[in-house]
Amino acid sequence: IGTTKTVQVTISDGRCNLRTLPATVTITDGTGPTARCKSGVNVYLGSNGQVSIPGNTINDNSLGNCINSYVLTSTNFNCTNVTNTSIPLVQTITDSRDRTSTCNGSIIVWDTVKPIALCKPSVTVYLDTMGKVKLTPALLDNGSSDACGILSKTLNDSLFDCLDQGTHIVTMTVKDINNNTRTCLSTVTISDNAGVAIKCPDPISV
């Protein structure tokens, strides 16, 4: 495009009489581009809670010869963009002659990455003087994390008494702020270390 070439044109009169003449041809692109966009394109965060999308993410078969670039108004997104609603974007396409066209589209940012659930391999807890003990996630947690943040940590079993002395497998469920969950296991040993409390009466006279 934009170059000039010389070609030879040969003319015949049908009786084998020929004449050849030179002609100059300039190559041009006479049609500008037409941008077309999609709406509601799904985009997914990575394990770091971020995503960077290419310029043609919302392209919908835009028209044009020799399109050089696709540019979006925004390309970087993170946990704050996870709202389950469309984020409007404008796509600008440019051809080799710097002619541009724009269109409007949108994306939806999703977080489908499960949190990292880490439990302590083994934990020993002791019954209190009432013969009871209550486990908390903090006792079992060993550094669980999520790029977008943890909403809750829950245990499948947390209340124990004298009849539960011994080892138990306890499951902790970690849920992030976007409702993705993952579990881990910990071996919990219930022990009675309180001993027996004996209270003697005050001295009496007989």
Side-chain angles (χ1 to χ4, degrees):
I1 295 176
T3 62
T4 300
K5 298 181 181 295
T6 299
V7 298
Q8 300 297 321
V9 180
T10 300
I11 303 173
S12 170
D13 64 2
R15 296 183 179 182
C16 297
N17 299 306
L18 306 176
R19 175 170 291 183
T20 299
L21 297 172
T24 300
V25 178
T26 300
I27 311 302
T28 63
D29 178 12
T31 303
T34 301
R36 293 178 176 178
C37 288
K38 297 178 183 179
S39 295
V41 177
N42 293 321
V43 173
Y44 299 90
L45 297 180
S47 58
N48 62 350
Q50 301 177 8
V51 63
S52 180
I53 61 176
N56 63 348
T57 297
I58 62 173
N59 182 51
D60 190 16
N61 298 315
S62 296
L63 302 177
N65 298 322
C66 306
I67 297 176
N68 282 345
S69 65
Y70 299 83
V71 178
L72 294 175
T73 47
S74 298
T75 57
N76 297 314
F77 303 90
N78 55 40
C79 298
T80 61
N81 301 116
V82 181
T83 59
N84 296 335
T85 57
S86 296
I87 300 174
L89 294 175
V90 177
Q91 174 187 256
T92 301
I93 63 175
T94 305
D95 68 8
S96 59
R97 296 184 64 185
D98 292 330
R99 294 173 297 191
T100 63
S101 178
T102 61
C103 59
N104 297 316
S106 64
I107 63 169
I108 301 175
V109 179
W110 298 92
D111 172 23
T112 59
V113 179
K114 295 182 179 181
I116 298 174
L118 296 175
C119 287
K120 296 175 182 177
S122 60
V123 175
T124 300
V125 293
Y126 300 97
L127 299 173
D128 60 19
T129 56
M130 301 298 294
K132 297 181 180 180
V133 65
K134 182 177 181 180
L135 296 180
T136 63
L139 290 173
L140 273 60
D141 186 59
N142 198 27
S144 300
S145 63
D146 184 83
C148 290
I150 293 177
L151 177 65
S152 65
K153 301 172 188 175
T154 57
L155 304 178
N156 69 320
D157 200 359
S158 60
L159 296 176
F160 299 91
D161 57 26
C162 296
L163 298 177
D164 298 311
Q165 293 184 70
T167 58
H168 301 264
I169 302 299
V170 178
T171 301
M172 181 174 72
T173 300
V174 180
K175 179 187 289 187
D176 68 15
I177 62 174
N178 294 310
N179 294 319
N180 301 299
T181 62
R182 181 170 284 173
T183 62
C184 60
L185 303 176
S186 183
T187 300
V188 178
T189 301
I190 308 298
S191 178
D192 180 10
N193 197 39
V196 180
I198 301 177
K199 183 177 181 181
C200 294
D202 295 331
I204 59 175
S205 299
V206 294

